[in-house]
Amino acid sequence: MTADERGQLWHGRFSVAPADELVAFTESLGFDVRLLFDDVACSKAHVRGLQRAGLIDADELGLILGGLDTVEMEYRAGELDFLASDEDVHTAIERRVTEVVGPAGEKLHTGRSRNDQVATAFRRYVLRSLDSLAGRLLDLVDVLIERADEFGTRAGSAYLPGYTHLQQAQPVLLAHHLLAHAWALLRDVDRVADCRRRTDVSPLGAGALAGTSLPLDPDSTAAELGFAARFENSLDATSDRDFAAETLFVCSLIAVHLSRLGEEIVLWSTEEFGFVRLDDAYATGSSMLPQKKNPDIAELARGKAGRVIGDLAGFLATLKGLTLAYNRDLQEDKEPVFDALDTVGGALLACTGLYATVRFNTDRMAAAADSPYAAATDLAELLVTEGVPFRSAHAIVGALVRTSLDDGVPFADLVAAAPELGERALALLAPGVSVLRRTSPGGGGPDPVSEQRLRISAAVADLRGRFGAPES
Ligand code: ARG
């Protein structure tokens, strides 16, 4: 069989058909078919540009646009047949348009290479995916803020131990803890916006690597496709995959944040902690152990971070050392990006449902936070306000804690008997008091958390505005 008979786009230069192993190893249709709608949109912009440049006439333009519509309709209807010679979705579209409209279809690829074509369609897909990612992040942030509001930012609101080294440290409002996760996710939204800005550049018109002798106008195709700008350098345009690497990093950090949320839910839902009870709809059972209720969403939010980080690390290794301009290695850009976007998008939806429905056991949280030792820093700070140097105050209270633990004497008794502290200090050990004393800006007590609550609404509104979404 000749290359011509196999229908390859590049058949003219070859005397025999490609080997089956080459076709099998190099094809990308299996995964890039999801770029079909983006490629059709880019192809429409390209042929309109060809007509403006006088390279096709109005009839040919109408025919090709109609052919592209047909391909899209056939695909939507599940009626687009792919051939073994369709290396990728771009090849398949051009081949089918030509079958449908005849010789005019052979002008579709004028002044274009798959190198600028692929990069343009892929950027368009990534831009849309980044918008969706931002929306899902903001939805999870909204749920975290709603839950924070439910538990309140005033004196008397729910509180829990804050931890460092996973050891109880100082009590904080539950709202403060939930908003801490929300701020991390808002930084992710900001990063998505940043990544989006650099992705929003059209490579269409860069050709294979160096542009073309034909009078094409990349500015107008960029504008028609809604890109903020066209490329500046054709070599860079066709070989730049920074947007893919950045998207993978953005996804990786979101995945890392979700893994931290997930690990916390796993821990908090244990019998030992008992800080949360999962809604039945967002938990799983055991096939053997009837009593079990498992936090599988949280575990997979934790576990899938590994795979997304792998997508990033793998793709950076692919990019490393590539010469200018396009190399076929770059075809390896799509699978990790699709996988990371799918994985993180799904994890965000699942975590949003989990957080919207999880029940917080605020009695358990308060009981854990009301250990008298939790107020140790408050006692030291009381001494500081009376002129005792902090290091001495720390030593005085630390010695009381040690004696209490070593001798099994209640801490409050030792505080009451201590000459530097005495009965007046006992008020600081009363349940629910310590959290009220986290008063500094950005701190975990009611006054700063109320202020923080206003600030986070402003931050959410700003980020929603950057994605053109209505403020909720
Ligand atoms: N499927 C290829 C990709 O995704 C298309 C580009 C092929 N270009 C070429 N010169 N062979 O990168």
Side-chain angles (χ1 to χ4, degrees), residues 151-312:
F151 293 100
T153 58
R154 298 172 201 284
S157 297
Y159 58 95
L160 75 164
Y163 296 83
T164 64
H165 313 265
L166 200 52
Q167 307 291 318
Q168 289 186 7
Q170 288 180 304
V172 293
L173 289 187
L174 176 54
H176 192 57
H177 190 102
L178 293 170
L179 293 181
H181 289 307
W183 285 110
L185 296 169
L186 286 177
R187 286 194 298 278
D188 290 328
V189 180
D190 189 41
R191 254 183 296 277
V192 171
D194 206 31
C195 171
R196 193 191 192 293
R197 186 169 57 77
R198 277 183 294 275
T199 305
D200 199 6
V201 175
S202 171
L204 193 58
L209 75 164
T212 167
S213 64
L214 301 170
L216 297 184
D217 176 19
D219 282 303
S220 61
T221 46
E224 179 173 342
L225 286 168
F227 283 100
R230 68 152 164 90
F231 65 95
E232 297 288 349
N233 177 309
S234 60
L235 293 171
D236 183 41
T238 47
S239 64
D240 168 23
R241 293 296 184 275
D242 291 0
F243 68 96
E246 284 191 51
T247 297
L248 287 166
F249 175 71
V250 167
C251 286
S252 295
L253 200 49
I254 296 170
V256 166
H257 289 151
L258 295 180
S259 79
R260 298 179 71 176
L261 282 157
E263 166 62 7
E264 182 176 279
I265 288 288
V266 170
L267 196 63
W268 283 10
S269 62
T270 56
E271 205 70 51
E272 290 75 5
F273 260 82
F275 283 5
V276 296
R277 270 239 316 270
L278 296 176
D279 189 89
D280 280 0
Y282 290 90
T284 55
S286 157
S287 58
M288 179 173 168
L289 315 172
Q291 84 283 13
K292 289 297 291 293
K293 187 166 178 180
N294 293 328
D296 289 30
I297 290 178
E299 293 168 87
L300 284 171
R302 187 178 60 187
K304 283 177 186 283
R307 137 190 201 150
V308 178
I309 293 165
D311 288 331
L312 169 66

Side-chain angles (χ1 to χ4, degrees), residues 26 28 32 87-88 90 113-115 118 241 326-328 330-331 333-334:
T26 61
S28 57
D32 66 19
E87 257 183 64
D88 53 27
H90 318 283
S113 156
R114 268 182 301 156
N115 300 350
V118 168
R241 293 296 184 275
Y326 180 86
N327 294 279
R328 190 65 180 262
L330 292 176
Q331 179 170 288
D333 56 0
K334 283 168 277 297

Side-chain angles (χ1 to χ4, degrees), residues 79-137:
E79 288 164 4
L80 181 61
D81 291 327
F82 294 105
L83 306 180
S85 55
D86 295 334
E87 257 183 64
D88 53 27
V89 70
H90 318 283
T91 316
I93 292 170
E94 184 184 342
R95 189 258 312 151
R96 182 65 188 139
V97 167
T98 308
E99 283 170 8
V100 172
V101 309
E106 295 189 5
K107 297 193 175 180
L108 165 58
H109 209 54
T110 309
R112 185 176 74 172
S113 156
R114 268 182 301 156
N115 300 350
D116 58 343
Q117 180 183 6
V118 168
T120 312
F122 190 32
R123 279 180 187 256
R124 202 170 179 276
Y125 179 96
V126 169
L127 283 171
R128 202 171 48 254
S129 304
L130 290 173
D131 290 343
S132 149
L133 210 52
R136 287 182 188 193
L137 282 163

